[in-house]
Amino acid sequence: MPTCMVCGRAAGQRCAGCGVAYYCGKDHQKLHWKQHKPDCSPVKEASSPQLGRYLAAARNLAAGEVVLREAPLIEAPPPSTQPVCLTCYKPLFETSARDCERCGWPMCGQDCANSPKHRGECRLTVQKRGNKMNIRNFGLPHPSYQCMAALRCLALRDAQPAKWRRLLEMEAHAEQRAGSQRQEQERFGVARFILRVFPKLRDDDKLTEEEILNICGILQVNGHEVPLSEPPSVAVYDKGSLLAHSCRANCAKSFSSSGDLVVRTALPVKAGEPLTICYTDPMWGTAARRQHLYDTKFFWCRCDRCVDRTEFGTYFSAIACPG
C-alpha cells in the first residue's frame, strides 16, 4: 500500500495533479505542497531505444487536460526576416527604428530595448563585438538576423548555465545534417558570420564553427514556429522538446499571448503512454507527411496512421476517381 510522503504511514489520498504522491490526509498534503510543487506534474520523462527521451503520462489523463505549460528556453525572429524589433518582433523601418543605446541593434522603442528578451544579444554585442551594430537597410530580408536564434542560445552559456546544459541535451542530428545544403548555408550565414562579427567569441572563448552548427541543428530539430507575430517567431522549449511525434497525435499544442507553449490532451491517454504531437501538417497525405518529416526531422514516420494504407478507413491519401 502507498505511504504518506510526510509521515510514512499508510496513505489512501493521492495527489490529483501528478497521481504519484500519496498522503494520509489533507493536512499532510498541504504541509508537503511547497516541497512537492516543483515535481507535481501529470507528465514525466521516460526513455526507450525507439523514441529516445520522451514525455509520458504520469497518470491516466482525460481528453482536454492541460498537461504542459512552459515558457520558451529561447525565442527569436525567423532566420529570413527584414529588420524587426528583437522584443516584440514588429517590422522596423527607417522612420520607426530606434537603435539600442548600448548595442546598436534597432528596436521599436526604449521599453523593448530594456526588455529581458533583448538582454542576451545586447550583452554579447557589447562584450564580444567591441562596437555597436549598424543596421541601416530596412524593408528587405537582412543577413544579420540569420544568426539571432543561435546568438541567443550562445548567450545562455555564461548567463544561464543550467538552461545552456538543457539545450545541449537536445537532439541535433549532426550526422544526418553533415554536408547537407542547409548546413552549408548555416556555415556561411550563421557560424562564420557570428565568428566574424563577434570576434571575441572566437579569440577569447575559442568558439568553433562546429559548435555553432550543432546549435543550428538543435534549433532545426526542436524549434517551434510561434504564430503570434508577423513574421512568426521561432522558439525552443525545454520539456516541449521531449514531445514525441504521431500523425494521429494524442495531444495538441497552442501558444499563450506571452509565447508559452500550452499542451492539451486531444484523446484519453493511459499512464505511461508517450505524449505525442504532430510535427508536420496532419492535413497532408501520407507520402507528403513522411517526406517532410524525413527532410526536417530526419526520420521516416511509422506511426499507426502512416503504416495503415487506409488511414483508419478514411482513405485520406487516396486519389479520387473522376468517374
Side-chain angles (χ1 to χ4, degrees):
M1 184 173 183
T3 57
C4 177
M5 298 288 290
V6 175
C7 65
R9 292 184 296 183
Q13 183 166 319
R14 184 172 65 174
C15 174
C18 64
V20 175
Y22 283 82
Y23 301 94
C24 62
K26 290 184 178 180
D27 290 343
H28 278 188
Q29 185 173 7
K30 291 179 180 178
L31 183 65
H32 192 245
W33 174 241
K34 286 186 178 180
Q35 182 179 345
H36 176 57
K37 184 178 180 180
D39 301 318
C40 185
S41 172
V43 303
K44 61 182 180 180
E45 288 192 26
S47 64
S48 74
Q50 294 77 24
L51 296 177
R53 294 165 60 231
Y54 64 92
L55 284 186
R59 56 174 173 80
N60 290 339
L61 302 171
E65 287 195 52
V66 175
V67 294
L68 182 64
R69 186 184 182 101
E70 182 180 30
L73 199 63
I74 72 104
E75 60 176 304
S80 180
T81 181
Q82 68 181 79
V84 296
C85 175
L86 294 174
T87 293
C88 67
Y89 308 125
K90 182 186 299 181
L92 297 176
F93 303 93
E94 289 186 33
T95 55
S96 60
R98 301 291 182 270
D99 289 353
C100 173
E101 60 186 18
R102 296 178 298 274
C103 66
W105 283 100
M107 309 292 289
C108 69
Q110 195 61 41
D111 287 345
C112 281
N114 292 334
S115 168
K117 284 187 180 182
H118 174 54
R119 194 171 295 157
E121 67 274 6
C122 187
R123 177 175 55 82
L124 288 185
T125 303
V126 172
Q127 295 179 358
K128 306 300 181 180
R129 175 170 165 78
N131 56 315
K132 295 181 179 181
M133 296 295 295
N134 184 27
I135 308 294
R136 288 294 173 265
N137 296 323
F138 296 92
L140 296 172
H142 198 290
S144 295
Y145 289 82
Q146 294 182 65
C147 76
M148 186 52 60
L151 199 62
R152 287 188 168 178
C153 290
L154 293 170
L156 297 176
R157 290 194 309 167
D158 299 326
Q160 297 175 289
K163 288 186 175 182
W164 172 247
R165 288 192 295 270
R166 291 292 287 181
L167 187 76
L168 292 184
E169 290 174 357
M170 296 180 187
E171 182 60 72
H173 285 297
E175 292 184 4
Q176 293 91 332
R177 280 170 40 86
S180 65
Q181 182 178 1
R182 175 163 179 164
Q183 188 190 63
E184 291 310 301
Q185 290 172 342
E186 291 167 343
R187 185 182 300 278
F188 288 92
V190 180
R192 293 183 181 177
F193 179 90
I194 288 176
L195 295 177
R196 184 178 71 253
V197 175
F198 303 89
K200 292 184 180 180
L201 287 172
R202 177 194 64 223
D203 300 335
D204 298 344
D205 298 347
K206 308 304 179 186
L207 185 67
T208 67
E209 281 187 23
E210 295 308 315
E211 289 175 307
I212 299 174
L213 290 175
N214 185 64
I215 292 297
C216 291
I218 290 171
L219 290 168
Q220 176 184 348
V221 174
N222 300 279
H224 293 257
E225 184 177 274
V226 184
L228 299 177
S229 59
E230 184 56 47
S233 60
V234 176
V236 173
Y237 299 87
D238 184 3
K239 289 186 177 180
S241 69
L242 300 178
L243 291 163
H245 163 78
S246 173
C247 294
R248 185 178 184 263
N250 58 27
C251 292
K253 70 176 183 180
S254 60
F255 301 93
S256 72
S257 59
S258 61
D260 290 358
L261 174 68
V262 181
V263 179
R264 294 177 183 270
T265 50
L267 303 168
V269 184
K270 294 181 179 179
E273 286 187 0
L275 298 177
T276 59
I277 58 174
C278 188
Y279 294 176
T280 186
D281 192 331
M283 299 305 293
W284 290 350
T286 297
R289 293 194 317 273
R290 296 187 79 229
Q291 187 65 52
H292 180 254
L293 289 166
Y294 182 76
D295 292 341
T296 58
K297 308 298 183 183
F298 307 102
F299 69 90
W300 290 109
C301 183
R302 293 192 58 79
C303 70
D304 290 346
R305 181 180 175 186
C306 284
V307 300
D308 181 357
R309 293 182 179 181
T310 73
E311 296 189 65
F312 311 122
T314 66
Y315 295 92
F316 187 84
S317 299
I319 298 174
C321 177

